[in-house]
Amino acid sequence: RTIRMGTLARAFNAFNAVSVSDLRTLARARVPKFAYDYLAGGADDEVSLRRPGFDAYEFHPMTCRGVHEVSTRTTFLGHKNVECIFGAPTAGHALWAPREGETATARACAETSSASRVFALSTLGTRSPREISQHVPELKHKMFQVYVWKDRELMRDVLAHAKAAGFTSIALTTDLTWFGNRERDLRNGFSIPPVHSLQTTLAAAARPRWTYDFLTSPKIEYAMIRELRGGGASPRAIADFATDAFDATFSWKDAEWFRTQWDGPIAMKGILRPDDARRALDTGYDAVWVTSHGARQLDTAVPPIDVLSSIRKAVGEDAQVIYDGGVMRGTDVVKAIALGANAVGVGKAYLYGLAATGDAEGVKMCFDLLTAETHRAMGLLGVSSVRELRDFGLDLVRSRRRHSASSDI
């Protein structure tokens, strides 16, 4: 009874949230500092984290359009008629939801109206593809994310494991061959699984609800590694793990090889340049994924939203373009679609929801808020569908910088 009442209390707090910012505040109050900072932080001085770039674009709405209903459905990577907003693959969900981990996020996606939201699972998830399929059998749209491992046999095993569990699309992450300098994690002594140092113990003691869940839940570890290699990773800094496991020599030749290892749709994730986008498609990838890895890799890299329209122009209108980076509002989603995206991933936003409640309710609240905001913004712009928003595109969203410069001439 005590546990159930606690769950209801957390859900009540989340249901009082009216924005992702509210969920972030709740998340910070519920989880220890090391877990919150791993979620909320960026690389180096976090300049890129503070400037996602959406404010540089403004709307130019139409009027008298007679828009009565709005649809946010789209199609990408073989997932047909799905919500345009989806959860980008992120590692370590059990850090914020020790009892359920990624299962909570998957359940939130499955409980979307008509079960039409894509769920993307990270290779470094704390639940495996098999566990997701076993515990959330109603989940229809499943994407799996893969890193460029030094161990090529492990990459093959990972893909086979995902396919056996019913995952139908793949995202290959190519922007993590070197690991970003995430100073919050260094200061916090962060590792997966968390080590029991004085620093982490004091941080956990300050968040008793999370600590109770953590102490009464399965050990936090990389589930895929546990299942394929007979044991999870020992406690260590995630930067050290990445340096040892990921292949910094990965090249376009290797990307060609990887494409031959999967017979379904694949996106190349980590694109910020038009020439790289064209080459990815020429190499056989079905979609390009425009992202800067949540501002967690190269600080002061160009904001993904600033290169989105140029990448769309380079690959053509028929190519599939996925976007993520700094999305915290439905207006951000609308700008990304107008500038060229077929679908928009969110990362930190839904993890704030997960951390706020420790279960699926917070994730659902995040998606509900963003979807409602997206509907409202599209209606106010005068468009009724993702296709129509794409068609009008740059006529509805313009760069403030470019417009100001042209006005001065």
Side-chain angles (χ1 to χ4, degrees):
R1 177 179 175 81
T2 301
I3 294 175
R4 185 174 180 182
M5 289 302 292
T7 300
L8 291 173
R10 292 194 295 271
F12 178 76
N13 285 335
F15 283 126
N16 285 339
V18 299
S19 68
V20 171
S21 179
D22 288 347
L23 293 174
R24 179 172 56 201
T25 299
L26 292 168
R28 190 167 193 168
R30 180 183 167 273
V31 302
K33 185 177 186 297
F34 60 82
Y36 177 81
D37 281 351
Y38 176 64
L39 158 55
D44 293 339
D45 296 314
E46 299 186 347
V47 174
S48 293
L49 186 66
R50 295 192 300 272
R51 59 168 202 194
F54 288 102
D55 287 348
Y57 297 87
E58 61 188 5
F59 291 122
H60 197 190
M62 300 177 290
T63 193
C64 297
R65 291 281 299 168
V67 174
H68 176 61
E69 294 182 348
V70 168
S71 171
T72 48
R73 298 298 182 94
T74 190
T75 294
F76 68 104
L77 282 184
H79 303 286
K80 298 180 180 180
N81 197 33
V82 294
E83 289 293 329
C84 65
I85 305 169
F86 72 99
T90 52
H93 289 202
L95 279 168
W96 309 290
R99 293 191 178 280
E100 295 188 84
E102 286 77 5
T103 305
T105 307
R107 187 169 291 115
C109 292
E111 293 177 5
T112 299
S113 175
S114 302
S116 62
R117 197 178 306 281
V118 174
F119 167 74
L121 178 65
S122 168
T123 298
L124 297 184
T126 51
R127 299 297 184 270
S128 70
R130 179 190 61 81
E131 290 172 313
I132 295 298
S133 293
Q134 177 183 342
H135 294 294
V136 196
E138 66 274 22
L139 182 64
K140 294 181 179 180
H141 299 282
K142 293 179 283 191
M143 179 196 302
F144 190 71
Q145 174 272 334
V146 181
Y147 294 103
V148 290
W149 299 86
K150 293 177 180 177
D151 185 344
R152 292 295 191 264
E153 191 61 34
L154 176 60
M155 291 183 78
R156 293 190 187 96
D157 290 345
V158 161
L159 292 174
H161 195 74
K163 176 170 284 190
F167 285 70
T168 60
S169 61
I170 294 293
L172 175 66
T173 294
T174 59
D175 59 358
L176 200 70
T177 52
W178 286 67
F179 198 80
N181 180 38
R182 305 174 189 178
E183 294 180 356
R184 294 199 204 193
D185 295 347
L186 296 174
R187 294 188 183 99
N188 290 328
F190 178 78
S191 67
I192 294 180
V195 296
H196 298 292
S197 67
L198 176 61
Q199 184 178 13
T200 58
T201 299
L202 291 174
R207 299 293 185 267
R209 290 190 305 176
W210 179 92
T211 301
Y212 178 82
D213 287 347
F214 173 74
L215 293 175
T216 57
S217 299
K219 178 183 177 182
I220 296 178
E221 57 186 351
Y222 301 131
M224 177 71 83
I225 308 302
R226 180 193 68 227
E227 293 193 359
L228 293 180
R229 293 295 183 261
S234 58
R236 61 192 305 199
I238 191 170
D240 293 339
F241 174 85
T243 299
D244 290 345
F246 300 153
D247 187 2
T249 70
F250 193 85
S251 67
W252 282 105
K253 184 177 180 180
D254 297 308
E256 291 177 15
W257 168 84
F258 183 83
R259 185 62 188 92
T260 67
Q261 304 301 303
W262 181 261
D263 58 5
I266 300 185
M268 182 176 284
K269 183 176 183 289
I271 300 292
L272 286 175
R273 294 175 57 93
D275 53 350
D276 283 341
R278 287 192 301 268
R279 188 162 185 179
L281 296 179
D282 291 342
T283 304
Y285 286 77
D286 301 281
V288 294
W289 193 319
V290 180
T291 177
S292 63
H293 211 97
R296 297 159 71 81
Q297 285 294 92
L298 180 63
D299 198 21
T300 72
V302 58
I305 196 67
D306 280 352
V307 297
L308 182 54
S309 63
S310 63
I311 287 175
R312 168 55 73 189
K313 182 178 180 180
V315 300
E317 284 302 312
D318 294 333
Q320 297 180 58
V321 177
I322 302 168
Y323 174 87
D324 82 58
V327 174
M328 293 290 162
R329 284 282 188 184
T331 49
D332 300 336
V333 174
V334 172
K335 289 176 182 179
I337 293 172
L339 291 170
N342 297 92
V344 178
V346 296
K348 285 180 169 64
Y350 81 84
L351 291 179
Y352 287 138
L354 182 66
T357 65
D359 56 27
E361 293 303 321
V363 181
K364 286 193 294 183
M365 174 58 69
C366 170
F367 285 137
D368 287 346
L369 287 169
L370 290 176
T371 299
E373 291 175 358
T374 301
H375 277 235
R376 184 182 306 112
M378 289 173 63
L380 290 169
L381 278 174
V383 293
S384 60
S385 68
V386 170
R387 179 69 263 175
E388 194 173 18
L389 178 57
R390 283 276 319 281
D391 288 342
F392 279 103
L394 298 180
D395 188 46
L396 295 178
V397 174
R398 65 187 187 184
S399 168
R400 295 174 58 195
R401 292 186 294 254
R402 188 175 301 118
H403 180 69
S404 296
S406 62
S407 298
D408 292 338
I409 296 175

